[in-house]
Amino acid sequence: MTDDIRVLLVDDQQLVRRGFRMVLDAEDGLTVVGEAGNGREAVEAVRALRPDVVLMDVRMPGMDGIRATELITAMQPACRVIVLTTFDLDEYAFGGLQAGASGFLLKDARPSELVDAIRAVHRGDAVVAPRVTARLVQLAAPALARSRPRDESRLDVLSEREREVFLLMAEGASNAEIAERLFVSESTVKTHVGKVLRGLGLRDRVQAVIFAYEIGVAGS
């Protein structure tokens, strides 16, 4: 169907790509439009096929998944990239998110988690495997805190309520959790989240968290 989510599979192991394809082909609303065996092939495939979501391996010969992610998100900003890796302490994970990825999952994620992640990033949400969220923050916060002075003035474009929502997003709170904290509906939170992202020129929640660390308002 024309409104299916178009997915590109990128992994240097054919068996891994085949396994992902079997999972996704069984799902309504998802279509695998192509495969690539390394980062360079992935960039060319995105240029030719214009997928909505890319499942991106990290460690591949030639161009790795981090560099490919950076090129793909610059070339086609509407394309969402989910970084996939075997290692829950992978030092490249945060690099992938900084490069523009909208999600990070482990390859041993359940099929339902993979499918949910694809649909979530296509909606504009961010997805980070719970097992690695704390590790990503641990890796990222010290470096960002050293390299960026606190600069809350960059939040001046936000209203007071939008600023509250942004700070809760930076803590990793979901829409439901934000709604509970602020005593508003989830639909209201969703509206505020959209305004926050547009106002700050951010693509998704992952970028919002990174931005919060960069300006020194998270992790302190």
Side-chain angles (χ1 to χ4, degrees):
M1 296 176 60
T2 56
D3 57 352
D4 279 3
I5 300 173
R6 297 162 54 81
V7 182
L8 175 70
L9 306 178
V10 184
D11 197 289
D12 61 337
Q13 297 185 44
Q14 186 176 10
L15 286 177
V16 172
R17 299 198 306 268
R18 184 176 300 172
F20 287 145
R21 181 180 279 272
M22 289 177 62
V23 169
L24 301 184
D25 282 347
E27 292 290 327
D28 292 334
L30 301 180
T31 298
V32 176
V33 295
E35 300 181 14
N38 59 54
R40 195 171 305 280
E41 291 178 4
V43 173
E44 293 304 317
V46 168
R47 182 177 288 113
L49 301 172
R50 301 187 68 81
D52 300 306
V53 177
V54 178
L55 298 185
M56 179 72 75
D57 188 21
V58 173
R59 298 179 176 180
M60 296 179 290
M63 183 185 294
D64 66 23
I66 305 304
R67 177 57 176 160
T69 296
E70 185 177 20
L71 294 174
I72 286 168
T73 55
M75 174 180 65
Q76 191 174 328
C79 182
R80 305 301 191 214
V81 178
I82 299 176
V83 172
L84 294 165
T85 182
T86 307
F87 308 99
D88 59 352
L89 300 183
D90 197 320
E91 66 271 22
Y92 294 119
F94 191 74
L97 299 180
Q98 285 188 305
S102 294
F104 176 91
L105 287 178
L106 303 180
K107 287 184 179 178
D108 64 359
R110 295 189 303 271
S112 60
E113 292 176 325
L114 180 64
V115 170
D116 289 345
I118 291 171
R119 290 181 170 143
V121 299
H122 186 250
R123 290 195 304 266
D125 294 334
V127 176
V128 179
R131 284 158 53 188
V132 300
T133 301
R135 176 59 174 170
L136 288 175
V137 171
Q138 181 183 350
L139 287 171
L144 289 173
R146 287 193 301 269
S147 63
R148 296 290 191 277
R150 190 177 184 93
D151 182 13
E152 295 189 44
S153 66
R154 297 173 70 181
L155 301 181
D156 289 348
V157 297
L158 304 180
S159 68
E160 182 177 352
R161 177 61 87 186
E162 289 163 3
R163 184 187 176 108
E164 290 177 320
V165 170
F166 170 76
L167 293 175
L168 290 172
M169 290 167 63
E171 294 177 9
S174 67
N175 283 0
E177 291 167 338
I178 295 174
E180 184 176 358
R181 295 272 291 274
L182 299 181
F183 304 102
V184 296
S185 68
E186 283 192 53
S187 61
T188 297
V189 172
K190 186 175 181 180
T191 298
H192 286 314
V193 168
K195 290 180 178 179
V196 167
L197 296 178
R198 287 192 298 273
L200 297 176
L202 304 173
R203 185 177 54 253
D204 53 37
R205 285 172 178 262
V206 166
Q207 282 201 334
V209 173
I210 293 173
F211 179 75
Y213 274 99
E214 287 178 338
I215 64 174
V217 298
S220 56

